[in-house]
């Protein structure tokens, strides 16, 4: 006799990621053991507002010798160790083999300090100060996007040593490139294909679906929503989406900038509250390329990719089957969302 179907939170299954057009494996039966509720509380240190040895603090010298100004708000500078250069003299070479292909790539790298206070994180900053960072992201997108050799502006933050951040001072990086990088290009192609087939926007339709069902929403306000995607890979991954269809930082109204700041603070606060530690993550924004084409099907969004799974020490590794086969998760996105949603809005250090 065939087994009767069991709910998805009990049995292994595949879920489809429509943005990358790939499958992920979900094995929720592995988490049927009761949740241990470990939080690995770390003593909240007072934190230095100014660290004389930090190369990002105001008035300090950076490693290349340039001195930072005594900045009082957001401060942006050209990365002293850029991954891309505006002038690229690498000649496109004929290697003589179709299997040995290389080409030049131009661009530039910037660093943005969010705030002069060394001890802050996005979760501990106030909404007006985060809004100033969003204003800077919009200005950088516009300025870099106008450069003739820049066609895509990737803004990202590595937070915490576990994610490779070189310094706790609140900051992010921008890599502006001549070509659209792989994942943004895959997402653009998927959104265009969906638009062609359904005559509507993939992520507008996704927001409507998730808002109606509510089970994967972490937090929302009038203009933005944060969701653990149905196809999330990282245990507590989220996607942050504007409810209105817009394609770039440069499209955000003043009200949307404030609403985005509030959502970023709300998401990062819940992350910190989950294990009562400063939660590591890589986050970044996907926006319309700056190549001059309309890219109307592009729906602006942020991805948060945090590695922690069960405590401040126990992280998810992308190894083995993930490296050789496909992404896999145990905890269902629905469980992750309900755990994040249930956490207090107020940061644990302020309680
Ligand atoms: P990460 O923490 O994500 O690594 O970003 C810090 C960036 O700051 C890194 O790309 C740059 C590094 O090259 N940097 C400078 O431009 N000047 C310095 O004096 C040190 C670090
Ligand atoms: Zn600092």
């Amino acid at each position: 006799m065939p087994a009767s179907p069991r709910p998805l939170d009990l049995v292994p299954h595949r879920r489809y990621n429509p943005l990358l057009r790939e499958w992920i494996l979900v094995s929720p039966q592995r988490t049927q053991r009761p949740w241990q509720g470990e939080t690995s509380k770390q003593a909240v240190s007072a934190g230095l507002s100014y660290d004389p040895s930090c190369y990002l603090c105001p008035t300090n010298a950076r490693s290349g010798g340039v001195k930072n100004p005594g900045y009082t708000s957001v401060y942006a500078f050209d990365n002293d160790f850029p991954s891309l250069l505006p002038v690229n003299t690498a000649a496109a070479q004929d290697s003589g083999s179709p299997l040995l292909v290389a080409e030049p790539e131009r661009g530039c790298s910037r660093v943005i300090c969010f705030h002069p206070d060394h001890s802050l994180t996005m979760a501990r900053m106030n909404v007006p100060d985060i809004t100033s960072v969003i204003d800077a992201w919009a200005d950088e997108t516009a300025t870099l996007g106008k450069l003739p050799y820049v066609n895509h502006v990737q803004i990202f933050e590595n937070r915490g040593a576990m994610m490779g951040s070189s310094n706790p001072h609140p900051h992010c990086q921008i890599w502006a490139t001549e070509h659209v990088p792989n994942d943004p290009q895959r997402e653009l192609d998927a959104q265009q294909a969906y638009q062609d087939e359904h005559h509507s926007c993939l992520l507008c339709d996704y927001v409507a679906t998730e808002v109606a069902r509510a089970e994967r929403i972490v937090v929302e306000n009038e203009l933005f929503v944060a969701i653990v995607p149905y196809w999330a890979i990282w245990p507590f991954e989220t996607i942050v989406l504007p409810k209105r269809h817009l394609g770039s930082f440069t499209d955000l109204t003043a009200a949307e900038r404030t609403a985005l700041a509030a959502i970023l603070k709300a998401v990062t606060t819940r992350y910190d509250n989950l294990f009562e530690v400063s939660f590591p993550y890589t986050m970044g924004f996907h926006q319309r390329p700056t190549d001059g084409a309309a890219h109307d099907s592009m729906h602006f969004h942020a991805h948060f990719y945090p590695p922690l799974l069960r405590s401040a020490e126990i992280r998810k590794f992308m190894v083995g089957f993930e490296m050789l086969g496909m992404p896999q998760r145990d905890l269902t996105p629905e469980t992750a969302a309900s755990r994040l949603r249930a956490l207090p809005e107020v940061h644990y250090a302020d309680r």
Side-chain angles (χ1 to χ4, degrees), residues 122-187:
M122 202 124 66
R124 312 300 313 282
M125 286 169 65
N126 61 37
V127 169
D129 285 348
I130 301 173
T131 307
S132 301
V133 177
I134 293 169
D135 290 340
W137 287 335
D139 291 346
E140 292 283 329
T141 299
T143 310
L144 295 168
K146 281 194 196 107
L147 295 171
Y149 52 86
V150 166
N151 291 307
H152 186 267
V153 178
Q154 182 61 59
I155 298 171
F156 62 96
E157 177 190 9
N158 295 321
R159 180 78 222 163
M162 191 181 274
M163 290 312 282
S165 174
S166 57
N167 186 319
H169 196 108
H171 69 281
C172 74
Q173 295 193 53
I174 304 181
W175 292 19
T177 52
E178 187 168 6
H179 294 91
V180 181
N182 298 346
D183 280 9
Q185 185 64 56
R186 286 174 71 193
E187 290 191 356

Side-chain angles (χ1 to χ4, degrees), residues 54 56-57 118 169:
C54 169
L56 298 181
C57 272
H118 182 87
H169 196 108

Side-chain angles (χ1 to χ4, degrees), residues 48-58 60 71 115-119 167-170:
L48 286 173
S49 288
Y50 169 74
D51 176 354
S53 67
C54 169
Y55 53 72
L56 298 181
C57 272
N60 291 359
Y71 65 94
H115 198 282
D117 187 332
H118 182 87
S119 69
N167 186 319
H169 196 108

Side-chain angles (χ1 to χ4, degrees), residues 103-114:
E103 60 182 28
E105 177 73 12
R106 292 180 295 171
C108 49
S109 308
R110 306 261 297 157
V111 179
I112 299 190
C113 299
F114 294 167

Side-chain angles (χ1 to χ4, degrees), residues 5-148:
R6 300 175 70 197
L8 284 187
D9 60 350
L10 295 177
V11 289
H13 60 277
R14 314 203 306 159
R15 293 193 188 194
Y16 186 63
N17 177 343
L19 267 182
L20 292 176
R21 294 191 282 188
E22 66 176 24
W23 292 90
I24 73 149
L25 178 65
V26 187
S27 312
Q29 77 286 358
R30 297 178 73 191
T31 57
Q32 285 313 301
R33 58 191 180 278
W35 184 265
Q36 301 294 301
E38 300 146 83
T39 54
S40 309
K41 286 185 195 181
Q42 286 174 355
V44 185
S45 67
L48 286 173
S49 288
Y50 169 74
D51 176 354
S53 67
C54 169
Y55 53 72
L56 298 181
C57 272
T59 72
N60 291 359
R62 299 207 300 271
S63 43
V66 180
K67 209 169 167 228
N68 295 322
Y71 65 94
T72 55
S73 177
V74 181
Y75 170 55
F77 61 92
D78 286 335
N79 197 313
D80 299 309
F81 307 95
S83 42
L84 297 137
L85 297 168
V87 179
N88 191 330
T89 51
Q93 291 176 4
D94 181 5
S95 71
S97 165
L99 299 177
L100 304 175
V101 180
E103 60 182 28
E105 177 73 12
R106 292 180 295 171
C108 49
S109 308
R110 306 261 297 157
V111 179
I112 299 190
C113 299
F114 294 167
H115 198 282
D117 187 332
H118 182 87
S119 69
L120 290 179
T121 61
M122 202 124 66
R124 312 300 313 282
M125 286 169 65
N126 61 37
V127 169
D129 285 348
I130 301 173
T131 307
S132 301
V133 177
I134 293 169
D135 290 340
W137 287 335
D139 291 346
E140 292 283 329
T141 299
T143 310
L144 295 168
K146 281 194 196 107
L147 295 171

Side-chain angles (χ1 to χ4, degrees), residues 30-340:
R30 297 178 73 191
T31 57
Q32 285 313 301
R33 58 191 180 278
W35 184 265
Q36 301 294 301
E38 300 146 83
T39 54
S40 309
K41 286 185 195 181
Q42 286 174 355
V44 185
S45 67
L48 286 173
S49 288
Y50 169 74
D51 176 354
S53 67
C54 169
Y55 53 72
L56 298 181
C57 272
T59 72
N60 291 359
R62 299 207 300 271
S63 43
V66 180
K67 209 169 167 228
N68 295 322
Y71 65 94
T72 55
S73 177
V74 181
Y75 170 55
F77 61 92
D78 286 335
N79 197 313
D80 299 309
F81 307 95
S83 42
L84 297 137
L85 297 168
V87 179
N88 191 330
T89 51
Q93 291 176 4
D94 181 5
S95 71
S97 165
L99 299 177
L100 304 175
V101 180
E103 60 182 28
E105 177 73 12
R106 292 180 295 171
C108 49
S109 308
R110 306 261 297 157
V111 179
I112 299 190
C113 299
F114 294 167
H115 198 282
D117 187 332
H118 182 87
S119 69
L120 290 179
T121 61
M122 202 124 66
R124 312 300 313 282
M125 286 169 65
N126 61 37
V127 169
D129 285 348
I130 301 173
T131 307
S132 301
V133 177
I134 293 169
D135 290 340
W137 287 335
D139 291 346
E140 292 283 329
T141 299
T143 310
L144 295 168
K146 281 194 196 107
L147 295 171
Y149 52 86
V150 166
N151 291 307
H152 186 267
V153 178
Q154 182 61 59
I155 298 171
F156 62 96
E157 177 190 9
N158 295 321
R159 180 78 222 163
M162 191 181 274
M163 290 312 282
S165 174
S166 57
N167 186 319
H169 196 108
H171 69 281
C172 74
Q173 295 193 53
I174 304 181
W175 292 19
T177 52
E178 187 168 6
H179 294 91
V180 181
N182 298 346
D183 280 9
Q185 185 64 56
R186 286 174 71 193
E187 290 191 356
L188 277 173
D189 292 345
Q191 289 174 94
Q192 187 59 51
Y194 184 95
Q195 178 85 42
D196 292 344
E197 188 181 342
H198 300 276
H199 308 290
S200 61
C201 161
L202 190 163
L203 287 174
C204 284
D205 289 358
Y206 184 59
V207 168
T209 303
E210 292 291 18
V211 167
R213 297 182 185 214
E215 64 175 333
R216 279 169 296 273
I217 292 182
V218 175
V219 54
E220 72 177 302
N221 60 30
E222 211 184 313
L223 301 175
F224 276 84
V225 59
I227 301 165
V228 179
Y230 188 73
W231 54 84
I233 295 174
W234 294 95
F236 294 95
E237 177 177 334
T238 51
I239 186 168
V240 175
L241 295 147
K243 292 182 176 174
R244 178 173 77 91
H245 185 75
L246 62 99
S248 166
F249 270 112
T250 55
D251 296 345
L252 294 171
T253 63
E256 281 164 342
R257 291 178 188 204
T258 307
L260 174 57
I263 283 280
L264 294 176
K265 182 175 173 68
V267 169
T268 52
T269 298
R270 277 179 172 75
Y271 277 158
D272 282 9
N273 285 342
L274 184 62
F275 301 128
E276 302 199 348
V277 291
S278 188
F279 207 69
Y281 56 76
T282 278
M283 72 85 73
F285 297 91
H286 284 155
Q287 55 180 340
R288 184 172 60 232
T290 57
D291 55 4
H295 297 289
D296 288 333
S297 60
M298 173 72 210
H299 192 118
F300 172 85
H301 57 276
H303 296 283
F304 276 89
Y305 298 139
L308 292 183
L309 173 61
R310 206 180 297 283
S311 71
E313 286 83 34
I314 302 178
R315 60 164 295 168
K316 163 145 186 85
F317 285 98
M318 288 287 187
V319 295
F321 192 76
E322 285 91 342
M323 285 181 105
L324 289 154
M326 69 198 290
Q328 184 270 349
R329 65 181 292 126
D330 298 342
L331 178 76
T332 63
E334 295 71 40
T335 303
S338 80
R339 285 177 51 81
L340 289 172

Side-chain angles (χ1 to χ4, degrees), residues 333-349:
E334 295 71 40
T335 303
S338 80
R339 285 177 51 81
L340 289 172
R341 197 167 48 233
L343 291 165
E345 271 171 53
V346 178
H347 196 278
Y348 69 91

